[in-house]
């Protein structure tokens, strides 16, 4: 079981800027949306399913912002920390400079952005046509934004709308979307807890004893800690490790639980090394043999 504290976050599709959160809050998913179009429908449904249903930390401004928050700073911190961004493109999306600025910021971080086209033609988003063209014309007429800013917004829309996403044109699409986006979000964030015994006996008492003996020791947050769990086969060592991991990983920026290490040492240790590196954020690292993996893990 390996973990790192909250210092930076990476994505499968790129590397985001380090989180510089001053609020201490971090998120798994950030929902970018135009309030009047989807705030009380799809955006809220997604928020509730991902938070209540899957236990993910999701940023939806109406749910997460608090009185006194600095809006631009809070939004940037939330976007930097998220592993996945969801952009809900709706009919009035381009009318909001907040939506467009958020999207541009998310795009610059390099973190994965999943587009959802909510009762809107994909071509209107990609090429700034229809209502999106009208919105940009209105921005220009008001004179609040120069042509460079508007071209930046169009460029970002063009690129993000070419990502693999979902199209919603009817109620049935919404129902399927909620299932699919939940699967994709969990796969991207990788925050599903491990399954522990359905009816464990004595596990809670063991957890308390373990925490008293190790997890509350001095210097835990400053030093690396190695803990050995010893016992006969079938005595519950793996069950205890999985339960401890489930309790700890939400407070960690990166974490990994490697099971069946003894079997892997005899058969496919290289695969386990690659999994550990990937879980800890080194997804672009390529190792070809076990010794190379040992060297990289040692310096990491």
């Amino acid at each position: 079981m390996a973990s790192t504290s909250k210092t930076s976050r990476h994505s499968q599709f790129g590397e985001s800027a380090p989180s510089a959160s001053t609020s201490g809050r971090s998120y798994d998913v950030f929902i970018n949306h135009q309030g009047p179009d989807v705030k009380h429908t799809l955006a809220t449904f997604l928020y509730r399913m991902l938070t209540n249903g899957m236990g993910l930390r999701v940023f939806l401004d109406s749910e997460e912002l608090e009185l006194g928050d600095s809006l631009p700073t809070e939004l940037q911190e939330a976007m930097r920390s998220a592993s996945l961004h969801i952009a809900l493109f709706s009919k009035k999306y381009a009318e909001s400079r907040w939506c467009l600025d958020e999207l541009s910021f998310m795009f610059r971080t390099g973190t994965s952005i999943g587009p959802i086209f909510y009762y809107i033609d994909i071509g209107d988003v990609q090429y700034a046509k229809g209502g999106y063209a009208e919105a940009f014309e209105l921005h220009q007429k008001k004179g609040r934004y120069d042509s460079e800013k508007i071209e930046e917004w169009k460029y970002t829309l063009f690129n993000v709308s070419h990502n693999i996403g979902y199209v919603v044109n009817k109620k049935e699409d919404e129902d399927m979307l909620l299932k699919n986006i939940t699967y994709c979000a969990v796969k991207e964030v990788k925050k599903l807890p491990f399954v522990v015994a359905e009816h464990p006996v004595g596990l809670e008492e063991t957890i308390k004893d373990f925490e008293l003996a190790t997890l509350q020791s001095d210097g835990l947050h400053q030093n690396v800690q190695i803990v050995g769990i010893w016992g006969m086969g079938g005595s519950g060592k793996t069950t205890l490790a999985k339960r401890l991991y489930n309790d700890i990983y939400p407070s960690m920026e990166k974490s990994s639980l490697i099971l069946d290490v003894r079997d892997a040492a005899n058969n496919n240790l290289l695969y386990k090394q690659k999994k550990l590196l990937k879980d800890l954020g080194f997804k672009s690292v390529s190792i070809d043999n076990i010794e190379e993996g040992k060297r990289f893990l040692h310096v990491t």
Side-chain angles (χ1 to χ4, degrees), residues 75-93:
L75 288 173
Q76 289 183 21
E77 290 177 356
M79 286 185 280
R80 283 194 185 101
S81 69
S83 294
L84 174 66
H85 299 135
I86 298 175
L88 300 181
F89 294 128
S90 54
K91 294 183 181 300
K92 297 182 179 180
Y93 180 94

Side-chain angles (χ1 to χ4, degrees), residues 91-132:
K91 294 183 181 300
K92 297 182 179 180
Y93 180 94
E95 295 179 11
S96 169
R97 59 82 41 108
W98 284 110
C99 287
L100 295 166
D101 276 343
E102 283 179 14
L103 190 70
S104 294
F105 187 90
M106 295 184 323
F107 183 69
R108 289 195 298 271
T109 68
T111 304
S112 175
I113 304 176
I116 297 175
F117 304 93
Y118 190 73
Y119 296 97
I120 184 72
D121 188 87
I122 296 178
D124 288 357
V125 180
Q126 289 179 344
Y127 303 105
K129 299 191 302 182
Y132 279 52

